[in-house]
């Protein structure tokens, strides 16, 4: 029984901690915390242990699904795959960092949100991917704002 209660308290505290991380990262990067939550729900259903492996060289990890292609850049800040998997706040902050880059490049708009997932390449295919992703995040964001469960 004690082990069950300890596990339950740990899981509850991890959830509260990650919610606080959305707030702090949002404040630090000037991004609405609910938008970060919406992206995280779209990427991982808020699962800090989410791992999407395409190949040994191509994978995404954590609540914000930080892609392995970013690891060389992140290494200059001391951020490793292990950090992104084990530290939910670092994962959320890293996602906020990349969204802030998109906002700086294209302005604070849904197209930049789409770039979080589909990148900046100017092709019709990538533009369709950006639009689709942005629409999905926008719907989740609206649900969060209505205090409804995201779909």
């Amino acid at each position: 029984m004690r082990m069950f209660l300890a596990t339950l308290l740990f899981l509850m505290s991890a959830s509260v901690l990650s919610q606080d991380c959305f707030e702090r990262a949002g404040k630090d990067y000037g991004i609405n915390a609910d938008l970060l939550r919406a992206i995280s729900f779209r990427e991982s259903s808020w699962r800090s242990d989410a791992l999407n492996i395409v190949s040994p060289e191509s994978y995404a990890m954590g609540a914000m699904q930080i892609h392995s292609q970013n690891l060389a850049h992140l290494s200059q800040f001391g951020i490793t795959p292990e950090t992104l998997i084990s530290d939910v706040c670092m994962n959320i902050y890293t996602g906020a960092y990349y969204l802030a880059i998109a906002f700086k490049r294209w302005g604070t708009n849904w197209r930049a949100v789409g770039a979080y997932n589909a990148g900046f390449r100017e092709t019709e295919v990538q533009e369709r991917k950006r639009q689709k992703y942005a629409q999905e995040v926008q719907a989740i964001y609206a649900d969060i704002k209505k205090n409804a469960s995201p779909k």
Side-chain angles (χ1 to χ4, degrees):
M1 182 65 167
R2 284 186 193 182
M3 183 58 119
F4 172 75
L5 288 175
T7 302
L8 181 62
L9 286 173
F10 172 75
L11 291 174
M12 287 172 50
S13 66
S15 176
V16 169
L17 175 65
S18 69
Q19 291 306 314
D20 185 44
C21 292
F22 287 114
E23 293 294 331
R24 289 185 304 176
K27 182 178 179 186
D28 289 348
Y29 281 100
I31 297 171
N32 184 291
D34 286 337
L35 178 57
L36 294 174
R37 287 183 185 96
I39 289 170
S40 179
F41 187 83
R42 167 56 182 78
E43 292 290 334
S44 70
S45 298
W46 295 321
R47 290 184 34 240
S48 61
D49 64 344
L51 194 57
N52 181 12
I53 300 172
V54 176
S55 74
E57 297 81 32
S58 180
Y59 53 93
M61 62 207 103
M64 300 296 283
Q65 287 293 280
I66 307 303
H67 198 274
S68 57
Q69 71 186 2
N70 298 307
L71 292 175
H73 173 76
L74 293 171
S75 70
Q76 69 183 319
F77 306 114
I79 299 172
T80 66
E82 294 77 18
T83 308
L84 292 169
I85 292 169
S86 66
D87 186 340
V88 66
C89 279
M90 181 60 71
N91 193 283
I92 292 167
Y93 263 85
T94 302
Y97 167 77
Y98 280 109
L99 184 60
I101 289 172
F103 284 166
K104 185 175 182 178
R105 186 163 178 181
W106 281 352
T108 305
N109 56 53
W110 290 109
R111 185 173 188 235
V113 171
Y116 181 89
N117 176 268
F120 297 103
R121 198 168 353 158
E122 294 281 359
T123 67
E124 287 183 34
V125 169
Q126 289 308 108
E127 188 60 32
R128 283 193 299 275
K129 287 179 181 180
R130 280 190 289 274
Q131 289 173 6
K132 181 179 185 299
Y133 182 83
Q135 289 169 353
E136 292 168 355
V137 170
Q138 192 172 21
I140 295 165
Y141 178 76
D143 285 343
I144 290 171
K145 287 299 191 188
K146 289 189 290 189
N147 292 316
S149 294
K151 298 170 182 106

